[in-house]
Amino acid sequence: MSAEDRIKRAKTLYERAVFSGDASVLTEAERGLDAVEADAALARGRILHARFLNERASAGSSPVEDPAELPLFERAIELYRALGDARGEAEALFWIGCLHQVIRRDNETAVPELEQSCQLAAQVGDKSTQSEALRHLGIAAHMAGRLDEARERLEESSRLRREVGALPGVAANMVGLAYIAAAQDRRADALATLDEAHAIAQAHGAHAIVRQIEQARTEI
């Protein structure tokens, strides 16, 4: 049910409660609006995260964290849990972990959130969220020097992204895989991976990923 449908339904239930005296329907109305609020909180938090990433790319350094971002994700997860929405909970867990890793550079806090997200997403068949969690678990492993684990995580993330058609995400993962290959003294593999990533990114208009690929080529 869409947000618009839930809001219309809440109005209908309100009218029933007022005109028929059946207050029992108000609980259903409230749950529907809780679902709308959870989705909106998650979406707003994602927008703040994207703004952070864009500002970082433009400035070449990390901007100040928006203090509203984490509370939005925390509100979303609170509501999803109360609703029994495991898919929503898995996604909110991912974003909390992502914030700690990307913005706060705190993998110690991020990894448990990402692992829980990955497990829950796998249970409910949410390949998109699972692939995101695996990507960031791979980044954490790479930063810790566990290159084989990092490669495995990113390859599994890429497999899932291909299944759901998220090809720009595959190209993004390949940038990470190229850095891993270079760190493992597989420079030819690294450059071939970047060539493939470039073709995918160009074909899908993923210009930000193209810039990451060019930077990786320079560094490798």
Side-chain angles (χ1 to χ4, degrees), residues 131-143:
S131 74
E132 294 285 353
L134 283 166
R135 168 180 167 79
H136 285 266
L137 286 169
I139 291 171
H142 190 182
M143 294 173 70

PDB file of all heavy atoms in Angstrom, residues 131-143:
ATOM      1  N   SER A 131      22.955  -6.511  -0.467  1.00  0.00           N
ATOM      2  CA  SER A 131      24.128  -6.147  -1.276  1.00  0.00           C
ATOM      3  C   SER A 131      24.804  -4.888  -0.730  1.00  0.00           C
ATOM      4  O   SER A 131      26.031  -4.776  -0.738  1.00  0.00           O
ATOM      5  CB  SER A 131      23.729  -5.931  -2.736  1.00  0.00           C
ATOM      6  OG  SER A 131      23.031  -4.714  -2.919  1.00  0.00           O
ATOM      7  N   GLU A 132      24.005  -3.943  -0.245  1.00  0.00           N
ATOM      8  CA  GLU A 132      24.567  -2.725   0.328  1.00  0.00           C
ATOM      9  C   GLU A 132      25.361  -3.041   1.593  1.00  0.00           C
ATOM     10  O   GLU A 132      26.468  -2.526   1.802  1.00  0.00           O
ATOM     11  CB  GLU A 132      23.448  -1.724   0.648  1.00  0.00           C
ATOM     12  CG  GLU A 132      22.709  -1.182  -0.561  1.00  0.00           C
ATOM     13  CD  GLU A 132      23.537  -0.155  -1.321  1.00  0.00           C
ATOM     14  OE1 GLU A 132      24.609   0.235  -0.841  1.00  0.00           O
ATOM     15  OE2 GLU A 132      23.097   0.255  -2.410  1.00  0.00           O
ATOM     16  N   ALA A 133      24.781  -3.868   2.453  1.00  0.00           N
ATOM     17  CA  ALA A 133      25.467  -4.227   3.695  1.00  0.00           C
ATOM     18  C   ALA A 133      26.766  -4.978   3.396  1.00  0.00           C
ATOM     19  O   ALA A 133      27.803  -4.727   4.029  1.00  0.00           O
ATOM     20  CB  ALA A 133      24.544  -5.073   4.569  1.00  0.00           C
ATOM     21  N   LEU A 134      26.722  -5.892   2.431  1.00  0.00           N
ATOM     22  CA  LEU A 134      27.925  -6.645   2.064  1.00  0.00           C
ATOM     23  C   LEU A 134      29.008  -5.715   1.528  1.00  0.00           C
ATOM     24  O   LEU A 134      30.199  -5.894   1.836  1.00  0.00           O
ATOM     25  CB  LEU A 134      27.587  -7.707   1.018  1.00  0.00           C
ATOM     26  CG  LEU A 134      26.881  -8.954   1.542  1.00  0.00           C
ATOM     27  CD1 LEU A 134      26.289  -9.753   0.391  1.00  0.00           C
ATOM     28  CD2 LEU A 134      27.861  -9.824   2.339  1.00  0.00           C
ATOM     29  N   ARG A 135      28.618  -4.732   0.727  1.00  0.00           N
ATOM     30  CA  ARG A 135      29.596  -3.772   0.205  1.00  0.00           C
ATOM     31  C   ARG A 135      30.330  -3.084   1.347  1.00  0.00           C
ATOM     32  O   ARG A 135      31.563  -2.997   1.346  1.00  0.00           O
ATOM     33  CB  ARG A 135      28.892  -2.731  -0.674  1.00  0.00           C
ATOM     34  CG  ARG A 135      29.786  -1.522  -1.018  1.00  0.00           C
ATOM     35  CD  ARG A 135      29.042  -0.522  -1.883  1.00  0.00           C
ATOM     36  NE  ARG A 135      29.758   0.754  -1.959  1.00  0.00           N
ATOM     37  CZ  ARG A 135      30.814   0.980  -2.736  1.00  0.00           C
ATOM     38  NH1 ARG A 135      31.315   0.012  -3.484  1.00  0.00           N
ATOM     39  NH2 ARG A 135      31.392   2.171  -2.750  1.00  0.00           N
ATOM     40  N   HIS A 136      29.585  -2.609   2.310  1.00  0.00           N
ATOM     41  CA  HIS A 136      30.208  -1.841   3.383  1.00  0.00           C
ATOM     42  C   HIS A 136      30.941  -2.737   4.377  1.00  0.00           C
ATOM     43  O   HIS A 136      31.917  -2.298   4.992  1.00  0.00           O
ATOM     44  CB  HIS A 136      29.173  -0.946   4.049  1.00  0.00           C
ATOM     45  CG  HIS A 136      28.822   0.238   3.192  1.00  0.00           C
ATOM     46  ND1 HIS A 136      29.443   1.461   3.330  1.00  0.00           N
ATOM     47  CD2 HIS A 136      27.961   0.363   2.146  1.00  0.00           C
ATOM     48  CE1 HIS A 136      28.966   2.292   2.424  1.00  0.00           C
ATOM     49  NE2 HIS A 136      28.060   1.654   1.690  1.00  0.00           N
ATOM     50  N   LEU A 137      30.525  -3.986   4.508  1.00  0.00           N
ATOM     51  CA  LEU A 137      31.315  -4.938   5.287  1.00  0.00           C
ATOM     52  C   LEU A 137      32.634  -5.223   4.564  1.00  0.00           C
ATOM     53  O   LEU A 137      33.673  -5.403   5.208  1.00  0.00           O
ATOM     54  CB  LEU A 137      30.526  -6.232   5.501  1.00  0.00           C
ATOM     55  CG  LEU A 137      29.381  -6.135   6.516  1.00  0.00           C
ATOM     56  CD1 LEU A 137      28.499  -7.380   6.439  1.00  0.00           C
ATOM     57  CD2 LEU A 137      29.922  -5.950   7.927  1.00  0.00           C
ATOM     58  N   GLY A 138      32.588  -5.254   3.232  1.00  0.00           N
ATOM     59  CA  GLY A 138      33.813  -5.417   2.461  1.00  0.00           C
ATOM     60  C   GLY A 138      34.751  -4.237   2.624  1.00  0.00           C
ATOM     61  O   GLY A 138      35.970  -4.401   2.747  1.00  0.00           O
ATOM     62  N   ILE A 139      34.187  -3.041   2.668  1.00  0.00           N
ATOM     63  CA  ILE A 139      35.004  -1.849   2.884  1.00  0.00           C
ATOM     64  C   ILE A 139      35.671  -1.921   4.255  1.00  0.00           C
ATOM     65  O   ILE A 139      36.862  -1.607   4.401  1.00  0.00           O
ATOM     66  CB  ILE A 139      34.137  -0.587   2.761  1.00  0.00           C
ATOM     67  CG1 ILE A 139      33.695  -0.388   1.307  1.00  0.00           C
ATOM     68  CG2 ILE A 139      34.873   0.645   3.267  1.00  0.00           C
ATOM     69  CD1 ILE A 139      32.656   0.699   1.109  1.00  0.00           C
ATOM     70  N   ALA A 140      34.914  -2.345   5.263  1.00  0.00           N
ATOM     71  CA  ALA A 140      35.471  -2.456   6.613  1.00  0.00           C
ATOM     72  C   ALA A 140      36.606  -3.470   6.651  1.00  0.00           C
ATOM     73  O   ALA A 140      37.659  -3.238   7.278  1.00  0.00           O
ATOM     74  CB  ALA A 140      34.381  -2.842   7.601  1.00  0.00           C
ATOM     75  N   ALA A 141      36.411  -4.604   5.970  1.00  0.00           N
ATOM     76  CA  ALA A 141      37.462  -5.629   5.928  1.00  0.00           C
ATOM     77  C   ALA A 141      38.697  -5.108   5.212  1.00  0.00           C
ATOM     78  O   ALA A 141      39.838  -5.369   5.626  1.00  0.00           O
ATOM     79  CB  ALA A 141      36.929  -6.885   5.243  1.00  0.00           C
ATOM     80  N   HIS A 142      38.492  -4.369   4.131  1.00  0.00           N
ATOM     81  CA  HIS A 142      39.612  -3.786   3.375  1.00  0.00           C
ATOM     82  C   HIS A 142      40.399  -2.831   4.259  1.00  0.00           C
ATOM     83  O   HIS A 142      41.642  -2.866   4.298  1.00  0.00           O
ATOM     84  CB  HIS A 142      39.068  -3.056   2.145  1.00  0.00           C
ATOM     85  CG  HIS A 142      40.125  -2.629   1.184  1.00  0.00           C
ATOM     86  ND1 HIS A 142      39.843  -1.927   0.029  1.00  0.00           N
ATOM     87  CD2 HIS A 142      41.479  -2.778   1.192  1.00  0.00           C
ATOM     88  CE1 HIS A 142      40.962  -1.680  -0.623  1.00  0.00           C
ATOM     89  NE2 HIS A 142      41.973  -2.174   0.074  1.00  0.00           N
ATOM     90  N   MET A 143      39.700  -1.981   4.987  1.00  0.00           N
ATOM     91  CA  MET A 143      40.364  -1.013   5.853  1.00  0.00           C
ATOM     92  C   MET A 143      41.146  -1.699   6.969  1.00  0.00           C
ATOM     93  O   MET A 143      42.151  -1.175   7.448  1.00  0.00           O
ATOM     94  CB  MET A 143      39.327  -0.049   6.440  1.00  0.00           C
ATOM     95  CG  MET A 143      38.672   0.848   5.395  1.00  0.00           C
ATOM     96  SD  MET A 143      37.299   1.832   6.058  1.00  0.00           S
ATOM     97  CE  MET A 143      38.205   2.975   7.108  1.00  0.00           C
TER      98      MET A 143
END
